[in-house]
Amino acid sequence: MARVFVYGTLKKGQPNYKHMINTAKGLAKFQGRGRTVEKYPLVIAGKYNIPYMLNIPGTGHHVAGEIYSVDEQMLQFLDEFEGCPDMYQRTLMRIQVVEWEGKGSTGEPRAAADGVLECFVYSTATYPPEWVGLPYHDSYDSSGKHGLSYVLRESR
């Protein structure tokens, strides 16, 4: 099992969460909520209003999201879903645990004493330079006050 931190449309209550609970794509077990230890710019960009975490550590906000344990099949699905490595790149980031539901089953790594975990995160270093000038968010909600509704793939 690998740890993945999701901050956008894959979170509970968001348009693509259905993929996280579709066991035909693999297993994803919700572990808790967290935020990035370092600050990153989280922008909503492109004609489909997609959330992107730009891989510019030290700029932006501590981005909030959810921590999942996923099996190899789900990790492969997420790589494909996220357009990895072209659109997003899967990198390890340090995530501060805010709320933990993980049961800590045998062999499952726990958070360090300081509550920090290493998780895979889909962020991007391949983006148009003008995205750096977009508003930065500390958390994402597809129907948030930003007014930029996410466009589902089926509707594109």
Side-chain angles (χ1 to χ4, degrees):
M1 300 292 275
R3 283 231 172 89
V4 175
F5 176 77
V6 298
Y7 57 84
T9 66
L10 291 166
K11 295 188 306 184
K12 289 181 181 180
Q14 297 303 311
N16 289 316
Y17 176 66
K18 62 188 177 218
H19 299 302
M20 298 300 284
I21 56 174
N22 182 346
T23 54
K25 295 177 180 356
L27 297 175
K29 187 173 137 199
F30 178 77
Q31 298 286 284
R33 290 175 177 50
R35 55 182 59 243
T36 58
V37 169
E38 290 191 79
K39 293 179 177 181
Y40 289 92
L42 171 58
V43 300
I44 302 170
K47 63 183 177 180
Y48 303 121
N49 296 323
I50 297 171
Y52 294 92
M53 185 188 301
L54 308 183
N55 198 346
I56 310 172
T59 301
H61 300 286
H62 300 283
V63 176
E66 298 173 347
I67 302 163
Y68 288 83
S69 286
V70 302
D71 66 5
E72 188 59 37
Q73 183 184 349
M74 179 58 79
L75 196 60
Q76 286 180 356
F77 165 78
L78 290 172
D79 279 355
E80 189 177 307
F81 181 79
E82 300 288 12
C84 186
D86 302 323
M87 190 159 115
Y88 292 93
Q89 296 80 49
R90 175 167 43 101
T91 56
L92 279 173
M93 288 187 188
R94 290 166 16 102
I95 303 300
Q96 176 73 50
V97 174
V98 173
E99 191 182 315
W100 190 250
E101 289 185 17
K103 302 292 184 269
S105 59
T106 310
E108 186 176 296
R110 296 224 171 137
D114 59 0
V116 173
L117 295 170
E118 285 225 316
C119 298
F120 285 122
V121 180
Y122 292 91
S123 64
T124 185
T126 53
Y127 52 86
E130 61 270 18
W131 286 9
V132 176
L134 293 171
Y136 297 165
H137 304 272
D138 61 355
S139 87
Y140 175 79
D141 183 339
S142 64
S143 56
K145 60 182 180 231
H146 48 71
L148 301 168
S149 295
Y150 174 78
V151 179
L152 286 168
R153 288 183 185 195
E154 308 81 84
S155 306
R156 296 179 191 169

